[in-house]
Structures are given as C-alpha cells and as structure tokens.
Amino acid sequence: MSSPAFDCESSRRADAKQAQGFLGVLMLDTRFPRPPGDIGNPQTFTRAGIPARLLTVRGASPRAIVQEADPAWLRPFTEAAQALAREGATMITTSCGFLAAHQASLQAAVDVPVWTSSLLQCRWLQNVGIITFDAASLTPAILRAAGVPEGTPVQGLRPGCELQQRILCNDTKLDFAEAQRDVEEAARRLVAEHPHVQTLVLECTNMPPYREAVAAATARSVHDAETLLLRAWREGLTWSPQATH
C-alpha cells in the first residue's frame, strides 16, 4: 500500500510553525446552517485549538461549484488563497470537497500546504469507499485530481434529500436530524453494495457533524475533512501530487 502522499516535519517544528500562523478556509458563498464539525463553523477549529480565518469567495454558490463546475472559478479561489497566505495563513483548506478538482493549481499558487478536500486522504487508506454530496457531479477527473485510487466505490446522497436540497438551494434552514439520516442512508447503501469496504471518507465538508453516527450505523472507520485537517495541522503535513512507497 502507498504511504501518505505528504512530507512529515518533526512535531516540534510543526507546532512552532503553526503557532505563528492560522488555518485559512476558502469559503463558498453560503447561508445554510453549519453545526459544529462543519468546516464553515469557526467552532470546529476553536474546540481543537486551531486559529482559523474564513474568507468567502463571493458568488461561489454550492450549485455553481458542485454542479456547474465552471473552471473560471479557479481564478477567484486562487486570489483568495494568495490573500490568506499573505495575511499569515500557514495552511489553507476549502469548504467544498469538489474543489479537489483544483488541488494542484491552488497548491502551486501559494507556498503553504493546501488541503482542498477530504478526498486527498483516500490514497493512503485501505479498503476505502466515498460518501459524496452528489455522485453525478463527482467526476472521474475530480477523483484523479485528488489521487483517489481507480475503482474506489462512491455512493452519493439520495437526490433531492434534505441535506442536498437545502445546500443546493442555499436555504436558511436545515433539519440536522434529517440530514444525519440522509448521510447514514448513503453510507449503509455503500457498505451493503461493497461489503469489503472497511473505511469511509465523507467527501462533503458539511458531513463531519454526522461522522460518529455514520460509524455507528456501519461499523466502519470514518474519515472526513475535519479529521484530515486536525491531523495535517498537528503533524505539519504537506500535500504532494505523487504518493511515496
């Protein structure tokens, strides 16, 4: 199995570096509720002791990024990443897993580690399956850009379900209990169809609040954007386009 596609600094060096800066979060332009655990909720990082600064890319709606996927959005996200780096960000992430499509370009634009998506960790996990916000929009090109091994099972939310509908419509309301059931349902379908899968990765940055529920419902290990960022921040990990062996 390939080992993680990143370079590890010593814990001491990583701690010293991070103490001088902050985690920059490139935000979609949204208004839907975000419970703790969601990458767009500052409490997600406050409770972990990570200083964070959120920067919204105006006009970048969930539908525009996920379903329309206009490559013209790369420029404003690049400019936002560069602005955060100039302000002192020592690591940068995003509030949408589909921005993995631009991982290489965003990383090349700044001199600090960029982790656009939880999908980036798929290549160092064993027997992995992906739960995504929209299976129809998670194209092979995005999976390749994230380094996801070919043939990795993918299961999306049921089209039109509470979580998907509220986010795509950028609604001001969200039934958290129903959203949790939506994610659990997708996870159960994936493991039923692919029983060999032992590890689940939640692509959507709005899914981490439901991580424990998904783990309980499937008896599988569950990873997401929050778990990736906590590890990357604490261990000083940097992304590389090539896996090492």
Side-chain angles (χ1 to χ4, degrees):
M1 182 189 73
S2 297
S3 61
F6 49 68
D7 301 316
C8 293
E9 304 173 25
S10 70
S11 297
R12 183 175 300 175
R13 179 180 297 177
D15 289 345
K17 176 183 178 182
Q18 307 300 7
Q20 298 173 8
F22 62 88
L23 173 64
V25 185
L26 301 175
M27 294 289 299
L28 270 59
D29 195 352
T30 64
R31 60 179 188 171
F32 56 81
R34 294 176 177 271
D38 188 301
I39 297 307
N41 186 325
Q43 293 182 39
T44 300
F45 305 108
T46 300
R47 67 187 185 182
I50 298 175
R53 189 174 303 175
L54 282 59
L55 179 60
T56 298
V57 177
R58 296 300 175 190
S61 70
R63 193 178 300 276
I65 301 303
V66 174
Q67 295 188 333
E68 297 171 7
D70 187 343
W73 282 108
L74 174 58
R75 181 174 180 178
F77 275 95
T78 298
E79 292 173 348
Q82 292 170 333
L84 286 170
R86 287 194 300 269
E87 292 171 6
T90 51
M91 184 175 293
I92 293 173
T93 189
T94 82
S95 71
C96 181
F98 281 77
L99 287 169
H102 305 303
Q103 171 66 29
S105 297
L106 289 173
Q107 181 61 85
V110 294
D111 293 327
V112 299
V114 175
W115 297 93
T116 55
S117 174
S118 64
L119 296 175
L120 298 174
Q121 63 194 311
C122 286
R123 58 182 169 180
W124 71 73
L125 297 172
Q126 289 185 309
N127 300 321
V128 67
I130 296 168
I131 306 300
T132 179
F133 176 78
D134 186 350
S137 298
L138 191 61
T139 64
I142 296 175
L143 295 173
R144 286 194 298 271
V148 176
E150 186 175 354
T152 297
V154 175
Q155 181 66 61
L157 295 178
R158 177 171 46 81
C161 68
E162 171 73 8
L163 183 58
Q164 189 185 81
Q165 178 75 3
R166 297 291 189 183
I167 290 177
L168 284 178
C169 293
N170 211 2
D171 207 336
T172 57
K173 299 179 180 180
L174 176 62
D175 184 328
F176 296 141
E178 186 65 24
Q180 176 176 307
R181 287 191 287 271
D182 292 338
V183 183
E184 288 179 11
E185 178 191 26
R188 286 195 183 97
R189 279 188 280 130
L190 188 147
V191 298
E193 295 175 11
H194 304 277
H196 70 281
V197 166
Q198 295 300 312
T199 306
L200 298 176
V201 169
L202 308 181
E203 166 274 318
C204 180
T205 63
N206 311 117
M207 291 181 181
Y210 317 117
R211 176 177 61 247
E212 293 183 3
V214 170
T218 62
R220 301 299 196 275
S221 173
V222 182
H223 299 257
D224 53 34
E226 183 183 15
T227 61
L228 171 61
L229 292 173
L230 294 186
R231 181 183 177 191
W233 181 267
R234 291 168 178 166
E235 299 181 19
L237 307 183
T238 59
W239 179 83
S240 167
Q242 299 296 328
T244 56
H245 297 272

